[in-house]
Amino acid sequence: DELTKPLLESDVPILGCIPKELVIKLVEEANGIPHNNDNIEQQSFFHFRDFIQKHAATADRSLCDVSNNNSSMLSLPLALGTLSPRQVYHCVKEEQNKLEIEQGNSASDINWLISHMEMRDYFLFNCFRDGASAYKINPKTPVHKPDAPREW
């Protein structure tokens, strides 16, 4: 409840479009879900490490599909803070080093996970900067236009 208090006290809808009523309903629904909070951070980390070790190198990332281990399913742990992008980075690097020692070659097949963390941050911070205008279907002007010309 203390985490949602600032959202509910704000006069501006979340991301410029999510009304308070929906936030209240989502919080009520989430509170009604039985939780097994026993080491949720540790569970998230073990699931991710398992994905890196067994599936990341062979995942078909061209699919819009999370079945058959084609996805790391990191969205929820990252959004909830049970995993951090920094943990993802170090876990991938650790596994790459281990594979290089074992196989004697570069283990770049799992490097895409680090790249995805960079893309995630790029789009996340652009949305924070642009606010509601980031979600316009047909903006008439650029979403972010510098106040003054910049010299190169």
Side-chain angles (χ1 to χ4, degrees):
D1 289 334
E2 71 183 67
L3 296 175
T4 58
K5 187 177 179 183
L7 299 174
L8 298 175
E9 290 177 350
S10 173
D11 294 332
V12 179
I14 301 167
L15 296 175
C17 62
I18 302 175
K20 291 180 187 179
E21 296 77 24
L22 180 59
V23 174
I24 293 168
K25 185 174 180 180
L26 289 171
V27 169
E28 288 171 355
E29 292 291 325
N31 286 335
I33 298 172
H35 298 297
N36 178 5
N37 291 333
D38 298 337
N39 296 323
I40 193 73
E41 289 89 359
Q42 192 174 28
Q43 290 173 17
S44 297
F45 187 75
F46 286 149
H47 170 78
F48 177 61
R49 183 175 293 278
D50 182 67
F51 175 79
I52 290 175
Q53 293 172 344
K54 298 176 183 172
H55 309 289
T58 58
D60 186 353
R61 298 181 318 274
S62 66
L63 299 175
C64 213
D65 180 12
V66 296
S67 64
N68 299 321
N69 297 305
N70 285 316
S71 171
S72 63
M73 296 193 208
L74 283 175
S75 294
L76 186 60
L78 286 168
L80 296 176
T82 58
L83 270 182
S84 73
R86 199 173 280 189
Q87 286 175 300
V88 171
Y89 172 83
H90 288 292
C91 190
V92 169
K93 285 298 185 187
E94 183 180 305
E95 188 63 23
Q96 283 178 325
N97 291 337
K98 191 168 86 175
L99 288 171
E100 286 176 9
I101 291 169
E102 290 173 2
Q103 299 173 358
N105 60 1
S106 177
S108 62
D109 291 345
I110 60 175
N111 203 48
W112 63 270
L113 288 156
I114 294 172
S115 175
H116 282 217
M117 291 297 98
E118 293 168 354
M119 286 186 268
R120 174 186 175 270
D121 280 352
Y122 173 80
F123 288 108
L124 184 66
F125 287 109
N126 273 333
C127 287
F128 283 143
R129 179 194 67 199
D130 299 337
S133 61
Y135 300 96
K136 291 182 180 175
I137 293 173
N138 295 315
K140 293 180 178 33
T141 59
V143 175
H144 179 72
K145 186 176 181 183
D147 296 333
R150 296 183 181 147
E151 290 186 32
W152 290 89

